[in-house]
Amino acid sequence: MPRFQLYIDGAFVDAAEAFESLDPATGTAWALMPAAGEAEINRAVEAADRAFHDPAWAGLTATQRGKLLMKLGDLVAQHAGRLAELETRDTGKIIRETRAQIGYVADYYRYFGGLADKIEGAHLPIDKPDMEVFLRREPIGVVAAIVPWNSQLFLSAVKLGPALAAGCTVVLKASEDGPAPLLEFARLIDAAGFPKGVVNIVTGFGEPAGRALTSHPKVARVAFTGGPATARQVVRNTAENLAHVTLELGGKSPVLVFADADLDSVSNAIIAGIFAATGQSCVAGSRLYVERPAHDRLVAILASKAAKIRIGDPQDEATEMGPLATARQRAHIEDNLARSVAAGARVMCGGGRPVGREAGWFFAPTIVSAADNTVPCVAEELFGPVLSVLSFDSEEEAIALANDTRFGLASGVFTTSLTRAHRVTRRLRAGIVWVNTYRAVSPIVPFGGYGQSGLGREGGSESVRDYTRTKSVWIRTSDDPVPDPFVMR
Ligand code: NAD
């Protein structure tokens, strides 16, 4: 069985403890992963702290940091095949998607590499004639980056990219579920030539590793992606170190379809939103609201397309939907669906384990009709291939239904009316609105949520600022004696 290691202070090391990682397609152990405990986390943070102050990193120009990131991007592109294979093996995400996504991750590193020497300070028109004031943007310090199991390379890139562009150092904790691709990615950090300790990659459980990392006194910045309950723990942990925190959390994203839309084309976008990645996507368009005249026709198209989705071995190029990543995840979905049916929801297709897929954690693409937003499958994040469908009679009602949630990550609007698209877009309370498309991302565009979906934005040029702090520098230009010392200037 392959055995993976932690990457701390430029060296590949074992942890005192290890655990078996399971292949979601078969449910059997395939690799041994290191489980970082407090001792390993402390070593990683200490290494990152030393590296932060070491001239080998702190003395590089922004342009030199940018070049290292560009090189990392090239290495990711070169090794995308191997990384994709590992991600598919360890998380069950289909190979078509992991290969394409990791290829694109390379562009994220290149984008942030290009930004490194564009993090500019400012000169201020100060209201005192004998002063010059300028602002320096300095790296914030040691970053604790924590990611969940879905899209780990992708979710790491939006943290590592801006952190390294700004001159920070990082301890990145992979999820305990499916950590293989990130532990392998450590080899590329090594090969790119980052000085030792600048990036440390560990895995381990929330307790003790996640807690020890996010509460460590030498951590200045926490970039977290995961579920809302864990996020609350993380915020409590940072009461210890008062680290600056950003949170990318879950969602229950609404998709509004108006009767004027082209339903055939819409159905593909809806399928992309809920059945791609087996629905294990934070932006999953899991609440579908259809204008009543289009409801039955759209549901019929969706049900017929869902029934044809090829479920199977995630390493097979032809597979369109693989297993869920964990048995826990499937149990969560089954429990939610049972409660939803008890609350009156009607399963229109799927609803259980697909026939012939007894091994592994497969779940059929599922469409459920629900009466209102209180039904559990409409109210709670499932993180699986379950689409809840409701209907509406007016634009006003559609907006109210969409906004009736504690989440606010993504949303979709399908209409051919330009004026309506703008009206609805303005009023949706969500960090992302996709109009006549769904599940599109880019390093250039900020990503993040409203409400319980998070705090802060990742991606886009502004995200780099979150890894800096401002130093205000005052320089007196007069040679006269300092005036009255008892009055503030
Ligand atoms: P999770 O919250 O259980 O775990 C996320 C990470 O937090 C893991 O690495 C875990 O080890 C760590 N962790 C657990 N307890 C901790 C603690 N006390 N202190 C510090 N770290 C701790 O999430 P999950 O089930 O792995 O992932 C699914 C969730 O992630 C969903 O809610 C999904 O919507 C969300 N997600 C959000 C985005 C986004 O960008 N908004 C992207 C992907 C996933």
Side-chain angles (χ1 to χ4, degrees):
M1 203 185 285
R3 189 188 178 102
F4 288 78
Q5 291 182 300
L6 306 173
Y7 180 63
I8 298 177
D9 206 12
F12 290 91
V13 293
D14 288 326
E17 294 184 27
F19 65 98
E20 287 179 341
S21 205
L22 307 182
D23 179 341
T26 60
T28 54
W30 77 277
L32 212 53
M33 300 296 169
E38 284 206 42
E40 287 91 357
I41 294 294
N42 288 342
R43 284 215 315 275
V45 177
E46 289 297 340
D49 186 54
R50 275 194 307 278
F52 184 70
H53 297 102
D54 190 327
W57 176 245
L60 294 185
T61 63
T63 309
Q64 286 170 319
R65 292 198 305 271
K67 283 182 179 163
L68 283 171
L69 277 165
M70 299 278 192
K71 184 158 177 205
L72 180 60
D74 292 345
L75 286 168
V76 170
Q78 280 164 30
H79 294 84
R82 165 85 181 135
L83 293 171
E85 216 174 279
L86 281 173
E87 184 166 5
T88 294
R89 186 75 197 265
D90 217 10
T91 67
K93 196 176 217 194
I94 60 170
I95 192 77
R96 269 155 73 171
E97 162 112 325
T98 53
R99 204 172 285 141
Q101 202 178 61
I102 294 168
Y104 199 30
V105 162
D107 281 349
Y108 275 72
Y109 285 109
R110 295 178 183 127
Y111 173 79
F112 285 110
L115 276 182
D117 56 8
K118 290 154 200 84
I119 306 170
E120 294 171 350
H123 178 265
L124 303 188
I126 187 69
D127 56 348
K128 302 176 199 310
D130 60 341
M131 297 278 194
E132 285 289 341
V133 174
F134 65 91
L135 306 181
R136 286 171 52 80
R137 288 212 158 263
E138 300 189 342
I140 197 164
V142 175
V143 176
I146 301 207
V147 291
W149 46 266
N150 67 316
S151 310
Q152 299 204 52
L153 283 156
F154 178 68
L155 297 169
S156 302
V158 285
K159 299 172 176 59
L160 275 180
L164 297 173
C168 296
T169 57
V170 183
V171 178
L172 169 63
K173 191 187 96 53
S175 171
E176 59 274 39
D177 297 316
L182 272 188
L183 297 174
E184 179 75 10
F185 165 77
R187 299 191 183 285
L188 307 187
I189 292 283
D190 209 55
F194 286 92
K196 66 178 184 150
V198 169
V199 181
N200 305 272
I201 302 184
V202 298
T203 187
F205 296 88
E207 179 59 46
R211 190 223 353 111
L213 179 56
T214 49
S215 58
H216 197 289
K218 288 190 173 167
V219 164
R221 167 83 166 87
V222 173
F224 173 82
T225 301
T230 317
R232 287 190 181 82
Q233 290 289 342
V234 166
V235 170
R236 281 185 206 109
N237 297 346
T238 57
E240 297 303 317
N241 52 19
L242 299 179
H244 174 85
V245 187
T246 51
L247 306 169
E248 290 290 345
L249 312 178
K252 193 73 198 175
S253 300
V255 178
L256 309 184
V257 178
F258 290 88
D260 62 11
D262 168 356
L263 298 188
D264 244 330
S265 153
V266 168
S267 64
N268 273 351
I270 291 169
I271 284 177
I274 191 66
F275 298 137
T278 316
Q280 302 167 110
S281 166
C282 53
V283 293
S286 51
R287 291 188 291 143
L288 175 62
Y289 300 97
V290 190
E291 197 169 8
R292 202 170 300 274
H295 177 275
D296 291 354
R297 198 158 81 78
L298 181 58
V299 170
I301 298 172
L302 286 170
S304 126
K305 288 191 175 178
K308 292 190 194 110
I309 290 175
R310 282 193 295 266
I311 301 171
D313 177 0
Q315 297 283 2
D316 183 341
E317 285 288 344
T319 297
E320 293 169 331
M321 240 180 80
L324 293 157
T326 62
R328 194 177 70 244
Q329 187 61 23
R330 187 169 65 180
H332 164 65
I333 292 167
E334 288 174 340
D335 165 68
N336 178 292
L337 272 184
R339 286 187 287 120
S340 301
V341 170
R346 204 157 44 88
V347 175
M348 298 163 86
C349 80
R353 304 177 183 192
V355 182
R357 289 271 152 209
E358 280 69 37
W361 303 311
F362 290 88
F363 199 85
T366 298
I367 301 177
V368 182
S369 165
D372 60 48
N373 280 351
T374 64
V375 179
C377 62
V378 192
E380 299 167 16
E381 184 183 36
L382 273 88
F383 221 57
V386 179
L387 179 68
S388 301
V389 191
L390 296 89
S391 49
F392 66 83
D393 291 303
S394 69
E395 189 177 304
E396 202 58 32
E397 188 193 358
I399 294 166
L401 285 166
N403 285 340
D404 175 26
T405 172
R406 61 188 187 282
F407 295 111
L409 187 54
S411 57
V413 182
F414 291 86
T415 177
T416 47
S417 160
L418 180 66
T419 49
R420 174 185 283 141
H422 277 285
R423 277 195 310 271
V424 175
T425 295
R426 278 189 203 156
R427 294 183 57 198
L428 285 176
R429 288 197 294 270
I432 302 163
V433 183
W434 283 299
V435 178
N436 293 333
T437 184
Y438 206 85
R439 206 165 175 256
V441 291
S442 162
I444 299 162
V445 183
F447 182 102
Y450 283 26
Q452 300 282 302
S453 288
L455 201 62
R457 294 291 176 268
E458 292 189 324
S461 59
E462 280 184 23
S463 66
V464 177
R465 285 182 161 237
D466 267 350
Y467 291 85
T468 67
R469 55 184 148 207
T470 302
K471 181 179 277 175
S472 308
V473 182
W474 294 73
I475 299 183
R476 187 159 178 257
T477 55
S478 167
D479 293 327
D480 295 342
V482 171
D484 186 352
F486 300 104
V487 177
M488 190 170 82
R489 284 214 64 201

